[in-house]
Amino acid sequence: MTDTLEIEINRIESSRLNDVDFENLPFGKVFTDHMLMCQYTNGQWSAPKIMPYGNIPLSPASSMIHYGQSIFEGLKAFRTEANEVVVFRPEKNWARFNASATRLCMPEIPKEIFVEGLRQLINLDRAWVPNRSDSSLYIRPFMFATDALLGVKPSETYMFMIILAPVGPYYPKPLHLKIETHYTRAAMGGVGAAKAAGNYASALYPAKLAQEQGIDQLIWTDAKEHKYLEEAGTMNMMLVIGDTLITPPLTATILPGVTRDSFLTLAREAGVNVEERRISTDEVVEAAKAGTLREVFGVGTAATIANVVKITFEDQTFELPAIETRKISPAIGEKLLRIKKGQEEDTHGWNITI
Ligand code: COI
């Protein structure tokens, strides 16, 4: 392994690793020893620096706080049986990060800083990559505006950072989802296809209302008619009706998920009939009543494959077939995980070894 990008590294004096209970990892609460920082000023990115994980100084007038120029990514590293550390499809996340940056009027980040930066950071903190089968190292690259200015305009300065978190499962149990027909996650022409921080903020209140009714998360529908399914919570969603795997097509209101793309690729290769098309609430209700709605699940980096066991639509709740009876989500989900962990041949060249 050679380091092609010169990164100044300021190491911690003593690691916090031994304080961590790797048998009971929560999602996103424990962070590794180091983080990466890189500043954008005068139209260019400075050399990235790796330093001890910790708080950062920020002007209270920082435009990210007031006007929300803030984007992020999520990807994972795994420890293989051969004790190597591999990261799944970082270039795909880099490309999506830059698409989000363009939509939020922020500068693109060079591949070298994003991919090589995370590679060197993970290499430094490689002892933190869990080896339990339900755990991984979650990688969170993010960028935010740092101009101290209350005028509404694109910032001229930005901070790019990467932090790392050893994580356990995102959803500890299967989900009960409600089809949301009042609130909207994204509208055509909006920022739904970008991984913008504000998308997550605006989803909190509708999700909280559902959670007060004992429901875990929402299935978002289109902003115009509230008739077509879009995403499930913070995930892309997939259904199996009969023997066909169906998922909403990638429009301007749907995040182009890396797990979505990987899952569909493997499903097609396994001979599954895949349809990327609109799915109406009527179709879901009819299939649930007819017993042909065999599987519903969310796919995302954090959640991987999240099984849905109940769907509420208006005043009706449908119990879905038992998870043990499902075929496509467990088979393809398992294959995807085996590839990520180096247990199965990576024929697509998705993994990079750290
Ligand atoms: C993901 O990485 O899958 C996410 O969307 C992050 C989630 C924790 C909001």
Side-chain angles (χ1 to χ4, degrees):
M1 187 188 67
T2 51
D3 292 348
T4 52
L5 176 71
E6 277 292 316
I7 300 186
E8 183 187 318
I9 299 178
N10 173 12
R11 289 170 191 260
I12 40 112
E13 279 169 15
S14 116
S15 174
R16 290 176 281 104
L17 185 62
N18 290 336
D19 303 339
V20 177
D21 177 4
F22 276 82
E23 299 302 306
N24 295 293
L25 278 175
F27 186 91
K29 287 191 180 161
V30 176
F31 299 96
T32 67
D33 285 328
H34 297 92
M35 62 185 188
L36 178 141
M37 283 179 108
C38 185
Q39 275 173 300
Y40 182 87
T41 47
N42 301 319
Q44 35 187 336
W45 288 102
S46 63
K49 289 184 182 162
I50 290 177
M51 61 197 65
Y53 179 90
N55 293 345
I56 51 175
L58 201 60
S59 160
S62 166
S63 57
M64 174 270 291
I65 299 173
H66 300 274
Y67 307 124
Q69 262 189 303
S70 175
I71 58 170
F72 70 96
E73 269 305 323
L75 60 162
K76 279 179 175 172
F78 298 85
R79 189 176 291 282
T80 68
E81 276 164 9
N83 206 22
E84 281 177 338
V85 173
V86 291
V87 179
F88 189 68
R89 304 190 79 179
E91 293 194 7
K92 193 101 179 131
N93 291 88
W94 165 70
R96 186 173 69 180
F97 192 73
N98 279 345
S100 300
T102 301
R103 181 62 185 86
L104 273 285
C105 214
M106 302 165 91
E108 291 191 352
I109 187 103
K111 184 158 95 181
E112 215 190 13
I113 296 178
F114 188 100
V115 178
E116 183 58 22
L118 70 82
R119 200 184 66 73
Q120 290 193 35
L121 180 64
I122 295 166
N123 190 37
L124 185 63
D125 282 346
R126 62 190 300 134
W128 288 79
V129 182
N131 59 12
R132 274 178 60 113
S133 63
D134 62 352
S135 306
S136 58
L137 186 76
Y138 187 75
I139 306 159
R140 171 53 64 88
F142 56 107
M143 190 207 308
F144 54 90
T146 51
D147 273 8
L149 174 77
L150 295 185
V152 180
K153 66 188 264 299
S155 181
E156 288 176 6
T157 62
Y158 295 88
M159 179 73 83
F160 170 73
M161 296 186 66
I162 306 176
I163 54 175
L164 307 173
V167 295
Y170 190 75
Y171 290 117
K173 61 176 188 56
L175 302 174
H176 175 187
L177 302 183
K178 176 189 144 187
I179 300 181
E180 175 60 55
T181 52
H182 176 71
Y183 294 100
T184 296
R185 174 187 171 274
M188 294 305 275
V191 291
K195 213 155 171 65
N199 286 342
Y200 295 78
S202 66
L204 294 176
Y205 179 68
K208 176 177 156 245
L209 296 181
Q211 283 152 8
E212 283 167 2
Q213 300 171 352
I215 291 165
D216 298 305
Q217 259 300 345
L218 300 173
I219 295 176
W220 299 102
T221 52
D222 69 286
K224 200 169 165 201
E225 299 176 85
H226 287 299
K227 197 169 171 223
Y228 295 97
L229 311 194
E230 300 225 309
E231 295 190 6
T234 60
M235 303 172 288
N236 293 115
M237 76 170 302
M238 299 197 177
L239 287 75
V240 177
I241 299 182
D243 289 324
T244 303
L245 175 66
I246 314 170
T247 192
L250 292 180
T251 62
T253 60
I254 294 191
L255 189 79
V258 178
T259 309
R260 177 191 182 278
D261 180 78
S262 311
F263 193 99
L264 292 181
T265 301
L266 296 180
R268 287 189 171 109
E269 286 172 2
V272 175
N273 184 29
V274 175
E275 292 179 4
E276 291 181 65
R277 63 161 174 85
R278 297 216 289 179
I279 310 156
S280 70
T281 50
D282 290 346
E283 183 180 358
V284 174
V285 168
E286 270 168 36
K289 284 185 176 159
T292 54
L293 183 55
R294 300 229 169 105
E295 304 179 28
V296 178
F297 52 100
V299 295
T301 298
T304 57
I305 311 295
N307 287 308
V308 180
V309 285
K310 248 194 247 186
I311 291 184
T312 295
F313 176 59
E314 295 173 341
D315 54 1
Q316 307 178 78
T317 294
F318 301 97
E319 303 268 351
L320 301 179
I323 291 168
E324 306 75 60
T325 66
R326 303 184 183 192
K327 296 202 164 59
I328 294 176
S329 48
I332 306 297
E334 179 63 21
K335 187 171 172 84
L336 183 55
L337 191 62
R338 287 179 59 79
I339 294 172
K340 289 178 180 177
K341 295 191 159 184
Q343 293 162 338
E344 191 148 332
E345 198 189 345
D346 174 22
T347 54
H348 303 91
W350 282 339
N351 286 334
I352 65 158
T353 303
I354 301 293

